Amino acid sequence: MRLRTVLATVTAGLAAATCLSAAGPANAVATGTDATNAAAHACSSSVSLDSFSDALDKTTFGGYFVGNLSALAVDRDGSLAALADRSYLFDLDAKTLAPKKVVGLADENGAALDSEGLVVDRDGTRLVTSETEPSVRRYSADGRILDRLPVPSSLLVSPAGRATSNQTFEGLTLLDGGRTLLASMEYAVSGDTAGIVRFQTWQRTKGDHFRLSAQYAYRTDDPILGVPEVQALPDGRLLVLERGFTSGVGNTVRLFLADPRHATDTSGIDNLTGQAGVRLIRKTLLTDIATCPSLGATAKQPQPNPLLDNIEGMAVTGRTKGAYKVLLVSDDNQNAAQTTRFYRLSVRVR
């Protein structure tokens, strides 16, 4: 999403793209014993920062600015798909991050999207959210619209629904071996308690269409934090990013493990205001990114940790030695005070 100052199919991916190069001084890698390295890179008992890269910051490719990145996905060939919220989609080399291809996206009328969430489906097509309506559309690899999914009326932007523009579908992921699609709203809709964010699901039908299904409620740590991204793990649990920005202070970015499997279906509940009997999605903090080692990173504006920026995209890229390899990316909003930065994490879950 574009910066707002606020107070405050995985299975395929696991077999692909398990590493990115760490080239240049912006990718410091500790040396010494394994134990020393682990301690030097630890963010928490569950998460370590392997490296980061600013290689694409303020670069161009094919006449497009390489930035504004809001989502990541692993393609079937192991390359990375990186979605810009200015309505275009890059293919990146998984090792070097070098752009290989760029495709423009548009709605049915040829208008640009505020494109935020991305899934590469099993047939190679792209499912992409736009948060201005909001919408979920299916695109061919060359950017042609193939399908558009239904959206509950309550999640549409006011006055059609109860959502606020630029605060709708941010995260997108496939669960249950690709049978279920889940999109996360960024912030609460009108009538719900601030900090209660709705996660909408769809079930796959014949012909790889999707029908509306259950909806779940997730509570952020603080109402000033939104949900910019979700990614499914093979067991049905989710990695969830929470993020906020405070002028003069910087970003807050936290990574959670969340379990929607026993949460209440809230699709029939008009207003979520703390009703008895509603089971929210359970979550556990894995790390606050501010606690990660900076590894020599620098920031262009005040930050609690110079490593931090406007982190918005996330993909699970592999699994080694019991840890998931997770790639994050920050959205620089084409702003001189922000950085397009990729982060490689090792994430252990129980």
Side-chain angles (χ1 to χ4, degrees):
M1 61 175 292
R2 296 172 175 82
L3 181 64
R4 295 190 297 273
T5 299
V6 291
L7 293 179
T9 297
V10 169
T11 303
L14 293 178
T18 58
C19 65
L20 300 174
S21 67
N27 299 277
V29 178
T31 59
T33 67
D34 289 344
T36 300
N37 287 343
H41 288 250
C43 306
S44 68
S45 60
S46 301
V47 178
S48 59
L49 173 67
D50 298 332
S51 63
F52 71 91
S53 173
D54 295 350
L56 296 188
D57 187 44
K58 306 302 181 289
T59 60
T60 60
F61 175 79
Y64 288 82
F65 178 79
V66 182
N68 306 299
L69 300 181
S70 59
L72 298 170
V74 178
D75 211 338
R76 295 182 302 170
D77 63 358
S79 64
L80 294 169
L83 181 68
D85 64 17
R86 307 299 171 93
S87 203
Y88 45 94
L89 181 63
F90 293 101
D91 286 349
L92 307 179
D93 184 276
K95 292 184 178 181
T96 66
L97 297 177
K100 304 188 299 179
K101 178 182 175 182
V102 61
V103 172
L105 303 174
D107 68 12
E108 293 80 358
N109 298 315
L113 312 172
D114 187 349
S115 40
E116 297 288 349
L118 173 67
V119 160
V120 175
D121 207 353
R122 57 194 182 188
D123 61 355
T125 59
R126 280 80 164 117
L127 292 159
V128 176
T129 70
S130 179
E131 67 172 350
T132 51
E133 301 143 316
S135 63
V136 184
R137 294 180 177 87
R138 183 190 293 277
Y139 291 86
S140 65
D142 60 2
R144 292 177 294 110
I145 296 177
L146 303 175
D147 195 13
R148 181 168 176 170
L149 279 59
V151 174
S153 59
S154 61
L155 301 186
L156 298 177
V157 169
S158 176
R162 295 163 42 205
T164 301
S165 184
N166 297 323
Q167 297 186 13
T168 63
F169 290 157
E170 281 270 344
L172 194 68
T173 191
L174 281 170
L175 303 96
D176 304 328
R179 295 186 296 272
T180 303
L181 182 72
L182 181 147
S184 59
M185 297 288 281
E186 185 183 14
Y187 287 100
V189 298
S190 175
D192 289 353
T193 297
I196 300 293
V197 179
R198 296 192 186 232
F199 287 9
Q200 177 65 47
T201 70
W202 294 259
Q203 291 297 314
R204 191 187 295 272
T205 63
K206 290 183 179 180
D208 284 335
H209 298 291
F210 286 90
R211 61 172 177 82
L212 285 170
S213 189
Q215 189 181 99
Y216 307 108
Y218 175 95
R219 186 192 298 273
T220 60
D221 266 11
D222 191 302
I224 63 177
L225 298 178
V227 176
E229 187 61 284
V230 293
Q231 284 291 292
L233 298 178
D235 63 5
R237 292 183 294 176
L238 302 170
L239 296 178
V240 180
L241 280 178
E242 295 186 18
R243 177 204 55 188
F245 179 79
T246 303
S247 181
V249 177
N251 289 98
T252 299
V253 185
R254 296 171 185 160
L255 179 64
F256 292 85
L257 178 66
D259 191 346
R261 293 173 295 182
H262 303 291
T264 301
D265 181 357
T266 58
S267 56
I269 302 176
D270 288 338
N271 301 110
L272 294 172
T273 55
Q275 296 93 332
V278 174
R279 296 186 303 276
L280 301 177
I281 294 174
R282 296 176 59 184
K283 69 176 192 177
T284 302
L285 177 66
L286 295 174
T287 195
D288 187 322
I289 302 298
T291 65
C292 292
S294 65
L295 298 187
T298 58
K300 302 173 184 177
Q301 61 180 328
Q303 290 285 2
N305 179 336
L307 181 74
L308 283 168
D309 212 285
N310 183 39
I311 298 174
E312 188 157 322
M314 173 170 60
V316 178
T317 62
R319 191 175 187 181
T320 59
K321 298 180 180 179
Y324 289 102
K325 294 300 181 180
V326 176
L327 181 67
L328 307 179
V329 68
S330 60
D331 175 1
D332 75 335
N333 296 293
Q334 211 158 337
N335 185 327
Q338 295 177 273
T339 302
T340 296
R341 177 171 289 164
F342 288 81
Y343 307 75
R344 293 166 54 196
L345 304 179
S346 293
V347 178
R348 291 164 293 280
V349 301
R350 295 181 179 179

